[in-house]
Amino acid sequence: MTDPDMVPNAAPASHNSGGGRDLFSKFDPLIAERQALLDTGVRDPFAIVMDEVHSPVLATIQGKETILLGTYNYMGMTFDPDVVAAGKKALDEYGSGTTGSRVLNGTYQGHKECEEALKEFYGTRHAMVFSTGYQANLGLMSTIAGKEDYIILDADSHASIYDGCALGNAQIVRFRHNSVEDLDKRLGRLPADGGRLVVLEGVYSMLGDIAPLKEMVAVAKKHGAMIAVDEAHGMGFFGANGRGVFEEAGVEGDVDFVVGTFSKSVGTVGGFVVSNHPKFEVMRLVCRPYVFTASLPPSVVATAATSIRKLMHAADKRAHLWENSRRLHQGLRDLGFELATKEAESAIIAVLLPHQDKTVRMWQALLEQGVYVNMARPPATPAGMYLLRCSLCAEHSSEQVGRILDMFAAAGRATGAIA
Ligand SMILES: Cc1ncc(COP(=O)(O)O)c(C=O)c1O
């Protein structure tokens, strides 16, 4: 089935009369690879449409009721009645959008309330809300580290961290994923002058493994570095207050910046940085991804603030999410799947498959059974891996987790992924 919107080697409609090369030609190998895959008759794993969404864990996809197991909606807040009501009220009272930057006409009462909710949630003096988590990382990395400074980051860092580094002028040093020893070595080789920012993530989202934050923070401190931790996948269910892996690791007092997103446990869209640094507020004047873009709509900040306040008191949900995660991990391992971690380290369980063909077949077989998971492939994955990434939700019932395991068993046998 040829995708009429993407034809490899097709001549552009109006180009090249002057001899310049078609700037899209560099993508021809990718377009051809995708087409070859679609020609085998599989569905495109990157073009799924949710026709209807019934709850945080159920949707209709191509007419079939499907369990959602790849949404990062960890705490299931998207349909929380208080969250939805807050969004509707703000929509009625403040309209559909702010049409402006946070530093001009785009800060409403709701944006300040959302920042207050974050300050309470994290127990910090400062909180800055961005339009996405991607922009929060772009903003922090590109603004606080300048030409004379160093950013030291885990090789498996999220794209938004890398892109933030690319946007700024700091010198970038990478260390081996989760290696405390390599971090120590690389910090030790830096010249004495210049600032240092070590960037870590609580949970690494491709494999679902967590960082040894206690050890890493100690090493960063020893070398006089400031520390930023991205808790995109840890917020909501790690630590007694759901602040993230850094809370659970007991290093709250040593972390200078926590970056996060509203697009996972909070259940809407947006991003933030929280900090206790006394000069942090200057960021509002100098951080380009904060200044030069429109702020979040009032309905979004109202849903985020309500959700964040509810997440402070969600111990039962956290416990159920852990129960679900451990059960799925154990069940998949017992079925014979190869998993990225020895045990469930987070609510992301990544299933390793040998190559793209088998991964897409397994992904499609699961969808036909009635469960949606994320497929991930290089370059998004480390070490050229092909993965089916499952992310659990506190709203998955025990019965649903049992059904998911049955569907994995059937799909795995049908595709030869397990014996
Ligand atoms: C570790 C990490 N940081 C940041 C982000 C960006 O978050 P957002 O979806 O709010 O742009 C993501 C999202 O995938 C992420 O996984």
Side-chain angles (χ1 to χ4, degrees):
M1 174 185 53
T2 300
D3 181 343
D5 292 333
M6 249 192 254
V7 183
N9 302 319
S14 61
H15 192 69
N16 276 354
S17 52
R21 149 177 109 77
D22 176 12
L23 292 171
F24 277 95
S25 58
K26 58 180 159 298
F27 302 120
D28 283 346
L30 177 63
I31 295 171
E33 185 195 329
R34 174 176 179 271
Q35 192 55 53
L37 185 70
L38 295 183
D39 286 346
T40 67
V42 296
R43 226 186 272 178
D44 184 347
F46 304 114
I48 278 292
V49 177
M50 309 270 163
D51 299 325
E52 288 173 39
V53 178
H54 310 291
S55 77
V57 294
L58 269 188
T60 300
I61 300 175
Q62 285 207 335
K64 187 170 176 66
E65 184 161 289
T66 305
I67 299 180
L68 299 173
L69 189 68
T71 63
Y72 310 108
N73 192 352
Y74 300 117
M75 299 297 279
M77 298 307 281
T78 47
F79 282 77
D80 181 279
D82 297 328
V83 170
V84 173
K88 284 181 177 163
K89 184 166 180 283
L91 191 59
D92 284 341
E93 290 177 3
Y94 292 94
S96 58
T98 68
T99 72
S101 159
R102 286 296 308 273
V103 297
L104 297 174
N105 57 305
T107 295
Y108 290 12
Q109 193 53 33
H111 297 81
K112 297 313 285 179
E113 275 165 23
C114 191
E115 288 173 346
E116 286 307 312
L118 279 168
K119 285 194 245 174
E120 244 181 79
F121 186 89
Y122 279 102
T124 52
R125 279 203 290 282
H126 307 284
M128 222 172 130
V129 167
F130 289 73
S131 297
T132 63
Y134 180 88
Q135 281 165 289
N137 269 329
L138 277 195
L140 184 67
M141 305 311 146
S142 63
T143 308
I144 62 162
K147 255 206 323 281
E148 314 294 323
D149 303 322
Y150 294 87
I151 296 183
I152 305 94
L153 56 108
D154 187 292
D156 287 3
S157 290
H158 188 259
S160 55
I161 295 172
Y162 274 106
D163 292 357
C165 293
L167 188 66
N169 299 312
Q171 303 183 55
I172 309 305
V173 178
R174 295 193 308 169
F175 62 91
R176 228 175 28 251
H177 176 55
N178 269 350
S179 169
V180 180
E181 195 191 351
D182 200 31
L183 172 64
D184 192 19
K185 194 167 78 190
R186 302 218 178 232
L187 278 166
R189 283 185 194 154
L190 295 181
D193 51 349
R196 296 136 188 238
L197 175 69
V198 169
V199 184
L200 306 165
E201 293 177 38
V203 177
Y204 285 87
S205 64
M206 280 297 149
L207 305 183
D209 53 336
I210 61 169
L213 284 187
K214 205 175 187 59
E215 294 79 3
M216 293 205 146
V217 165
V219 163
K221 285 270 142 198
K222 182 180 87 180
H223 291 281
M226 292 180 100
I227 301 160
V229 181
D230 181 332
E231 287 286 359
H233 296 272
M235 181 185 187
F237 59 100
F238 279 88
N241 298 293
R243 291 174 182 163
V245 179
F246 79 113
E247 182 188 15
E248 193 147 309
V251 293
E252 277 185 276
D254 289 325
V255 168
D256 299 275
F257 309 99
V258 176
V259 183
T261 175
F262 299 159
S263 72
K264 306 190 193 304
S265 283
V266 178
T268 177
V269 66
F272 63 87
V273 183
V274 296
S275 177
N276 280 323
H277 196 288
K279 298 181 190 163
F280 184 72
E281 291 295 323
V282 76
M283 286 277 286
R284 294 191 199 270
L285 304 177
V286 293
C287 179
R288 296 168 69 88
Y290 178 81
V291 173
F292 293 103
T293 195
S295 64
L296 287 168
S299 54
V300 168
V301 281
T303 55
T306 308
S307 178
I308 290 162
R309 289 191 188 284
K310 289 193 86 164
L311 289 177
M312 291 183 210
H313 313 286
D316 290 353
K317 277 189 150 191
R318 289 194 248 291
H320 185 61
L321 179 56
W322 277 113
E323 198 181 296
N324 282 347
S325 306
R326 291 188 181 117
R327 172 143 174 244
L328 186 72
H329 190 283
Q330 179 73 46
L332 290 176
R333 212 175 51 183
D334 291 349
L335 285 171
F337 287 100
E338 191 185 344
L339 306 180
T341 55
K342 276 209 200 71
E343 53 195 35
E345 293 188 19
S346 70
I348 300 171
I349 313 290
V351 180
L352 273 56
L353 287 147
H355 49 73
Q356 171 149 289
D357 201 40
K358 189 156 259 179
T359 314
V360 180
R361 281 183 193 294
M362 180 68 194
W363 172 84
Q364 174 150 323
L366 285 170
L367 198 60
E368 281 160 9
Q369 290 279 324
V371 62
Y372 169 80
V373 300
N374 292 145
M375 188 189 134
R377 46 157 284 168
T381 52
M385 288 174 172
Y386 288 89
L387 305 172
L388 293 179
R389 284 149 79 221
C390 310
S391 51
L392 286 129
C393 175
E395 295 291 321
H396 283 124
S397 65
S398 303
E399 186 266 336
Q400 280 170 328
V401 178
R403 270 168 50 214
I404 289 166
L405 284 167
D406 291 343
M407 291 191 262
F408 261 92
R413 284 181 196 121
T415 57
I418 51 172

